[in-house]
Amino acid sequence: RALARMGTELRCQCIATHSKFIPPKSIQDVKLTQSGPHCKNVEVIATLKDGREVCLEPTAPWVQLIIKAILAK
Amino acid sequence: RALARMGTELRCQCIATHSKFIPPKSIQDVKLTQSGPHCKNVEVIATLKDGREVCLEPTAPWVQLIIKAILAK
């Protein structure tokens, strides 16, 4: 799952990002966290409908499409 | 704040949406929740750097621009 810990952390939460496409319908929610003093990276964490949490690559085109798809519904 | 309750809920979390522009630099994170059995609406909840949580309108152009700006960093 490549998540260091949950919740509001004082450091980066993603150790690695999931590289394979995840169908939007299996996603429950997506949380975008800005970079800041706690972490130099933008972090995108998807919670899947089965409860798993996965880190996604913010710059991946499919990640941006999924976010667009959620907003467009 | 127009948030019914926090966390993973079995119903909609947003009662109303914040209509005024929020500068991206005052936003800590943004959570996009898909519609589903728990709620017929897509919900966009921003956590501000001062700890407040506000519901945003998913279809508002400025909300989509903020999300794009976070991803592009």
Side-chain angles (χ1 to χ4, degrees):
Chain A
R1 48 164 66 193
L3 253 146
R5 262 160 69 200
M6 327 289 249
T8 303
E9 289 297 323
L10 297 172
R11 56 190 177 95
C12 296
Q13 290 185 76
C14 294
I15 297 160
T17 56
H18 187 86
S19 54
K20 267 191 254 164
F21 177 78
I22 296 172
K25 64 174 187 173
S26 66
I27 295 176
Q28 173 91 52
D29 61 55
V30 179
K31 189 174 167 185
L32 318 173
T33 306
Q34 298 239 53
S35 55
H38 71 294
C39 178
K40 67 171 176 51
N41 312 318
V42 173
E43 298 192 299
V44 178
I45 302 174
T47 306
L48 308 187
K49 287 186 179 156
D50 63 11
R52 278 183 302 155
E53 289 188 302
V54 290
C55 288
L56 307 179
E57 173 52 48
T59 58
W62 70 270
V63 172
Q64 308 202 359
L65 283 175
I66 278 178
I67 289 165
K68 214 176 269 185
I70 293 175
L71 288 174
K73 270 210 217 150
Chain B
R1 48 165 64 193
L3 251 147
R5 260 160 68 200
M6 327 290 249
T8 303
E9 290 296 322
L10 298 171
R11 57 191 176 93
C12 295
Q13 290 185 75
C14 294
I15 297 160
T17 55
H18 187 87
S19 54
K20 267 191 253 161
F21 176 78
I22 297 171
K25 65 173 186 172
S26 67
I27 295 176
Q28 172 91 52
D29 62 54
V30 179
K31 189 174 169 187
L32 318 172
T33 306
Q34 298 240 52
S35 55
H38 71 293
C39 178
K40 67 171 177 48
N41 313 318
V42 173
E43 297 191 300
V44 178
I45 302 174
T47 305
L48 308 187
K49 287 187 179 157
D50 63 11
R52 278 182 303 156
E53 288 189 301
V54 290
C55 289
L56 307 179
E57 172 53 46
T59 59
W62 71 271
V63 172
Q64 308 202 358
L65 282 176
I66 278 177
I67 289 166
K68 212 175 271 184
I70 293 175
L71 288 174
K73 268 208 218 152

